[in-house]
Amino acid sequence: SFFFLRKPSPAMNPLWTSSPIVPGMHAVFRGTFTLAADQTIDLRTLGANWFSVHVDGQWLLDGPERFHRDHPRWRATSVAFRSGRHVIAVHACHTGADTRLLRNSPPFIDVCATTDGHQLPISWRCLALSAYSSHRRINPQLGWSEWCDTRQVPAEWQALDFDDRAWTEPISVDTGLGPAIQETCPPVRCDRRILQTLAHGSLAEVFGYDIDDPPVRFLMRDLDDRRFPAQGRWWRFDLGRIRLGRPRVKIEAAPGTVVELGYADRLDDGRVVPLISLSCGTSCNLDHYRARGGLQEFAPLEPRGGRFLEVHVLGDGHLIEATWDERGYFDEPRGSFTCGDPLLERIWSVGVETVRACAEDALIDTPIR
């Protein structure tokens, strides 16, 4: 059971891998500790860029909170543990550039655990993931499009019984940030939506190589079952309105099969175009993976924005399930407005839904931007 509260600030312990720091890199961390009795532990989390935390294999939270570099803010989370051995698993990335979330700074994650005012000793191991390549930014204001060969990611690395003895010890980091304080606002909500297929069919490649121009290649694939011999399959989903969140797509595929997730705020001639208008530069609103083989879930670390999701599988693969973990600060509207004028009532409703769609840990400039 998890709940959130304010606690005195423990000492910071920022960590990162000793591997060469490269923009767009990903790293994973495992912190293990043992409890002699059932206890409630207060976890404090902070990071330079996006991270996701699992406890004993179960997702707990995403971070970081939006902050100014002179005033970083950590999140306090209370977690009830049974006696015995436990693991905190963290997946983090280093953007290496200014974004609309945070300014560029040295990469680090900082996770500590306290109980009854005492900090618990945690044994940390880490691994820089060579599976991720930095090919394209989503756009100049956002992070990186994920380009990942999942065959190089250790399977079930978040699990309690995973063997991390071959991993290395992390190093301490000089963050260059000001004194950290606790974030007092409630956390952003995460609500799962089951997606229903809008359309599907076969596809064939008609343009270039993998990294020639990924969004153009995605858009130019032929989705007409009758024109060319099929090289794979595609599925399209409508989220109902533009939303911010993390797609989770379960696919059964042969090893090495390419899986791409493309996002758009509208359909152009019935197609998902994975480009972002008004981007002040080039954009690449898609993620690219190679399958490990068998049944596997594909999901980016950072949230994505859009109304339409299109999944392309190049090779032998079949989609089992698609969901969307929506991020948003507000729940369903509690109020309503009626005045007898359908246009005014619709304007009110659009305003409410726009605020809901654009409220994360701050009011944002649309989920897709």
Side-chain angles (χ1 to χ4, degrees):
S1 61
F2 308 135
F3 58 95
F4 300 83
L5 72 171
R6 188 178 183 91
K7 292 292 180 181
S9 176
M12 292 187 67
N13 185 31
L15 303 173
W16 195 251
T17 170
S18 60
S19 298
I21 296 176
V22 179
M25 72 181 294
H26 286 237
V28 289
F29 301 80
R30 286 173 52 86
T32 56
F33 61 95
T34 302
L35 298 175
D38 296 357
Q39 284 182 278
T40 295
I41 306 300
D42 299 325
L43 291 183
R44 187 207 60 183
T45 54
L46 177 62
N49 291 119
W50 199 264
F51 63 83
S52 184
V53 178
H54 288 72
V55 173
D56 294 342
Q58 180 185 358
W59 177 85
L60 176 64
L61 56 85
D62 292 326
E65 311 298 328
R66 225 173 284 253
F67 61 79
H68 188 279
R69 63 180 299 109
D70 295 337
H71 306 284
R73 305 177 74 87
W74 47 268
R75 168 70 65 189
T77 311
S78 189
V79 186
F81 286 97
R82 297 286 189 180
S83 62
R85 182 175 176 271
H86 300 278
V87 63
I88 303 168
V90 183
H91 181 183
C93 68
H94 170 52
T95 304
D98 291 347
T99 70
R100 285 191 165 178
L101 178 66
L102 294 167
R103 295 293 184 185
N104 187 20
S105 63
F108 74 90
I109 59 105
D110 185 356
V111 180
C112 73
T114 61
T115 180
D116 297 327
H118 300 287
Q119 192 162 329
L120 292 177
I122 300 178
S123 176
W124 287 100
R125 309 290 288 177
C126 68
L127 177 70
L129 294 177
S130 60
Y132 289 83
S133 302
S134 304
H135 287 305
R136 290 279 296 273
R137 291 274 295 276
I138 298 171
N139 73 357
Q141 293 86 32
L142 300 174
W144 293 86
S145 169
E146 285 196 3
W147 201 275
C148 178
D149 187 339
T150 66
R151 295 171 295 183
Q152 300 177 36
V153 178
E156 304 298 332
W157 66 269
Q158 303 101 326
L160 180 61
D161 58 356
F162 178 82
D163 185 359
D164 59 16
R165 288 177 294 180
W167 293 17
T168 61
E169 292 186 8
I171 60 173
S172 296
V173 175
D174 181 2
T175 66
L177 302 177
I181 60 173
Q182 182 179 352
E183 175 59 69
T184 56
C185 292
V188 175
R189 298 172 54 88
C190 185
D191 299 315
R192 178 158 296 183
R193 296 177 175 272
I194 306 297
L195 303 183
Q196 302 299 320
T197 304
L198 181 65
H200 64 91
S202 302
L203 60 78
E205 291 281 22
V206 296
F207 176 84
Y209 299 109
D210 273 356
I211 60 174
D212 275 1
D213 198 332
V216 172
R217 190 173 193 236
F218 186 98
L219 176 61
M220 292 189 66
R221 288 190 183 120
D222 192 285
L223 306 187
D224 188 330
D225 295 348
R226 298 163 296 177
R227 296 184 60 186
F228 299 106
Q231 297 173 320
R233 301 281 299 171
W234 63 272
W235 295 263
R236 186 179 300 135
F237 304 91
D238 183 356
L239 280 65
R241 65 161 168 80
I242 299 175
R243 302 181 189 274
L244 179 72
R246 180 183 290 112
R248 295 188 178 276
V249 179
K250 291 183 179 179
I251 291 175
E252 191 161 7
T257 300
V258 170
V259 176
E260 287 190 341
L261 313 181
Y263 320 98
D265 56 359
R266 67 185 189 278
L267 297 180
D268 288 289
D269 293 328
R271 294 287 299 267
V272 167
V273 179
L275 298 167
I276 301 174
S277 62
L278 305 176
S279 272
C280 301
T282 59
S283 58
C284 181
N285 203 25
L286 63 80
D287 296 302
H288 173 107
Y289 305 95
R290 284 194 177 271
R292 179 182 295 112
L295 181 60
Q296 183 177 353
E297 181 179 83
F298 299 88
L301 173 63
E302 297 186 68
R304 301 297 188 233
R307 172 172 174 172
F308 295 94
L309 164 67
E310 198 167 278
V311 179
H312 290 191
V313 175
L314 291 121
D316 184 13
H318 183 69
L319 187 142
I320 305 300
E321 182 184 56
T323 60
W324 186 273
D325 288 349
E326 181 174 5
R327 283 177 59 82
Y329 197 78
F330 297 112
D331 198 354
E332 295 293 330
R334 298 180 184 177
S336 61
F337 173 75
T338 57
C339 67
D341 185 324
L343 177 59
L344 288 179
E345 292 171 357
R346 185 180 180 192
I347 290 171
W348 184 90
S349 178
V350 168
V352 168
E353 290 304 309
T354 298
V355 171
R356 291 183 65 215
C358 297
E360 194 185 9
D361 59 337
L363 292 178
I364 59 176
D365 182 11
T366 83
I368 202 166
R369 283 170 54 82

